[in-house]
Amino acid sequence: MNSLTKDSLMSAARVGLGGDTLRIHGGKPLTGRIEVRGAKNLVTKAMVAALLGDSPSTLKGVPEISDVHVVRGLLEAHGVVIDSPEPGVLTLDPSNVVSAHFAEINAHAGSSRIPILFCGPLLHQLGEAFIPDLGGCKIGDRPIDFHLDALRALGANVKKLDDGIHLTAPDGLTGAHIELPFPSVGATEQVLLSAVRARGTTELKNAAIEPEIMDLIAILQKMGAIISVEPNRVIVIEGVEKLRGYLHTAIFDRNEAASWAAAALATRGDITVGGAEQQELMTFLNVYRKVGGEFEVLEDGIRFWHPGCALKPVQVETDVHPGFMTDWQQPMVVALTQADGVSVVHETVYENRFGFTEALNEMGADIVVHKDGIASITRRVPRRKLEQAAVITGPTPLHGADVRVPDLRGGFSHLIAALAASGTSTISNVGIIARGYELFLDKLQQLGAEFEVVATEA
């Protein structure tokens, strides 16, 4: 059994999926309403932030996804007492934080990259931290050097071992001037979680400013932190001696909302995404409208639907916020296979994020990946090292196939393609989708999809 399949089975088991394979009968529009809760990319970081407080925290809007279970297990291994008084709510009490045994950490770390963000809080609480080899989706180079360089700048001693990384800060962490070579979301989170209790002031240049970052800053401010977001991607953190717990409702998951929006387009359907908000999706909504998709902003969500006529080809460039998110391009590519003409998607964030298109071509799509990208005078995002481009020619009818999920967003894109295709598809490794999409099988049922779960063999 390869590591991806193992991670998929573990993820499926964590959220109670009866199997790791779906048999989907496609060709039927998805119609109805589903709800999205808190963002995977905020909730898991907010859970880690609770480690910094000297009193319990309460987090609301928590989705039932595998990554939440992973972080909960890691926190509990470090002595945090976690309770769920009602669905979607977690209380986290860090009063008795302890060092965790390697075996306990390693049991969870293979399924997530979150452990690297434990470094700062554990250095403040215990003076040391151990991080095993990191897992996560295999969508390209995920160097942790940005994280480690930032921690060194703050005064941590970093020792790389065969089975992971050991960090110590016997004299505590101290504020520093840090400039990231790329506005990495993970590295920005690392600096925030590490600098809030460091002595002195930290200035972070070229920081990520995604909505989830802003929501994390709001949480830390509630805890007693002093953080200023200044022009030109500069964040200034004035360290404080101690922090308290927080009460917070997580920002909605804009990646899940965009995925269901793309599913409405690809299946010629009509989906209302409850909990979705316009402001955090404005860049996505512009592209959605250019493609020809219709949407209506409601008081409690956004309705997305296919216009009933031919979709239009577009040129899309992924970028850091406020650009078009890399997490949005994969589901959108499926919809673009049904556009009338040639679309181009420039991926400038991750170099291997078009691996999922091989399965789409097997299902009848016409997608050509240019591994060195494509230069264009109409480009707005500067060309970057390792970027790629996909040229999608449509419309092409999709047909059923046997598909193995490669990563989280690519996996949901395969799901969309199978739902849009004629005939039956068999999709394995669907547990990976459970890492970031809450109750996605229940939501498919609510939208009228026809599928069966294939039981996992013992």
Side-chain angles (χ1 to χ4, degrees):
M1 182 185 300
N2 63 40
S3 61
L4 184 63
T5 299
K6 182 179 178 181
D7 280 354
S8 178
L9 290 170
M10 291 175 63
S11 296
R14 288 189 186 101
V15 295
L17 291 183
D20 190 46
T21 300
L22 292 183
R23 189 177 295 116
I24 296 177
H25 310 289
K28 182 179 179 181
L30 297 183
T31 60
R33 180 185 175 103
I34 54 93
E35 303 290 328
V36 296
R37 284 202 278 196
K40 163 186 173 290
N41 289 342
L42 178 277
V43 167
T44 49
K45 321 306 169 55
M47 292 172 69
V48 176
L51 268 175
L52 291 162
D54 59 8
S55 58
S57 293
T58 299
L59 182 62
K60 298 182 178 181
V62 179
E64 178 64 18
I65 56 176
S66 177
D67 273 17
V68 166
H69 288 270
V70 169
V71 178
R72 178 171 181 164
L74 285 164
L75 287 168
E76 289 176 333
H78 285 92
V80 178
V81 177
I82 301 177
D83 187 28
S84 181
E86 59 183 274
V89 178
L90 290 180
T91 60
L92 308 98
D93 186 350
S95 300
N96 297 297
V97 175
V98 296
S99 295
H101 295 293
F102 170 80
E104 291 180 284
I105 302 173
N106 206 41
H108 300 282
S111 302
S112 175
R113 290 180 302 274
I114 292 294
I116 190 67
L117 293 178
F118 278 65
C119 292
L122 289 177
L123 287 170
H124 287 302
Q125 291 278 28
L126 304 172
E128 66 173 355
F130 176 76
I131 307 301
D133 289 334
L134 300 179
C137 292
K138 308 304 181 186
I139 55 175
D141 192 19
R142 288 287 188 118
I144 62 170
D145 289 347
F146 293 175
H147 292 258
L148 300 182
D149 288 345
L151 288 163
R152 288 189 185 99
L154 293 166
N157 299 319
V158 179
K159 186 177 182 180
K160 294 184 179 181
L161 307 174
D162 291 339
D163 53 359
I165 302 167
H166 184 243
L167 300 98
T168 57
D171 299 322
L173 299 180
T174 305
H177 293 277
I178 300 171
E179 182 168 1
L180 299 177
F182 178 81
S184 160
V185 169
T188 300
E189 292 163 341
Q190 180 71 259
V191 174
L192 288 169
L193 292 168
S194 302
V196 283
R197 285 184 55 186
R199 292 189 305 275
T201 298
T202 297
E203 181 185 61
L204 176 63
K205 294 183 177 180
N206 203 24
I209 54 172
E210 270 69 4
E212 293 81 9
I213 293 286
M214 296 299 106
D215 211 30
L216 179 60
I217 290 174
I219 288 172
L220 293 170
Q221 188 181 58
K222 287 180 177 181
M223 298 176 75
I226 302 172
I227 304 172
S228 303
V229 181
E230 301 187 351
N232 301 317
R233 295 186 175 275
V234 176
I235 297 176
V236 177
I237 307 114
E238 299 178 40
V240 297
E241 187 174 341
K242 66 177 185 175
L243 298 171
R244 56 185 173 269
Y246 62 80
L247 170 61
H248 190 78
T249 299
I251 187 176
F252 81 99
D253 197 314
R254 60 200 178 110
N255 293 337
E256 183 182 359
S259 297
W260 289 113
L265 266 191
T267 66
R268 304 180 69 86
D270 187 333
I271 299 174
T272 297
V273 182
E277 298 181 11
Q278 178 184 10
Q279 184 169 340
E280 289 77 11
L281 286 170
M282 293 188 80
T283 303
F284 175 82
L285 294 174
N286 285 336
V287 173
Y288 200 81
R289 179 162 281 160
K290 288 179 182 179
V291 174
E294 297 283 356
F295 64 88
E296 178 185 9
V297 179
L298 309 172
E299 288 188 359
D300 61 350
I302 303 177
R303 177 188 167 208
F304 300 92
W305 71 94
H306 189 285
C309 56
L311 299 180
K312 305 168 188 175
V314 294
Q315 177 171 291
V316 178
E317 302 165 65
T318 67
D319 199 7
V320 295
H321 185 78
F324 191 90
M325 284 191 65
T326 178
D327 289 313
W328 296 338
Q329 63 91 343
Q330 290 168 292
M332 184 58 76
V333 163
V334 182
L336 291 176
T337 66
Q338 305 309 302
D340 187 7
V342 178
S343 298
V344 181
V345 176
H346 300 273
E347 173 56 59
T348 74
V349 180
Y350 292 118
E351 73 273 21
N352 288 337
R353 206 146 206 182
F354 286 131
F356 78 103
T357 61
E358 295 177 8
L360 298 185
N361 283 336
E362 292 177 6
M363 300 176 78
D366 183 353
I367 304 173
V368 177
V369 175
H370 296 260
K371 295 188 180 298
D372 297 318
I374 299 175
S376 170
I377 59 172
T378 61
R379 291 280 302 273
R380 296 176 64 87
V381 178
R383 291 203 67 181
R384 292 175 177 145
K385 292 172 57 179
L386 305 177
E387 74 170 45
Q388 294 186 324
V391 177
I392 306 110
T393 303
T396 52
L398 301 179
H399 55 77
D402 293 341
V403 177
R404 185 175 296 273
V405 168
D407 60 73
L408 176 59
R409 306 299 170 193
F412 197 88
S413 301
H414 290 159
L415 195 64
I416 295 173
L419 292 163
S422 61
T424 299
S425 297
T426 300
I427 304 185
S428 57
N429 280 0
V430 295
I432 297 298
I433 300 174
R435 284 190 49 231
Y437 290 89
E438 181 185 34
L439 303 173
F440 67 95
L441 294 187
D442 294 348
K443 293 175 182 178
L444 288 176
Q445 287 182 328
Q446 293 169 26
L447 297 173
E450 296 182 5
F451 66 93
E452 300 98 33
V453 179
V454 180
T456 302
E457 296 182 4

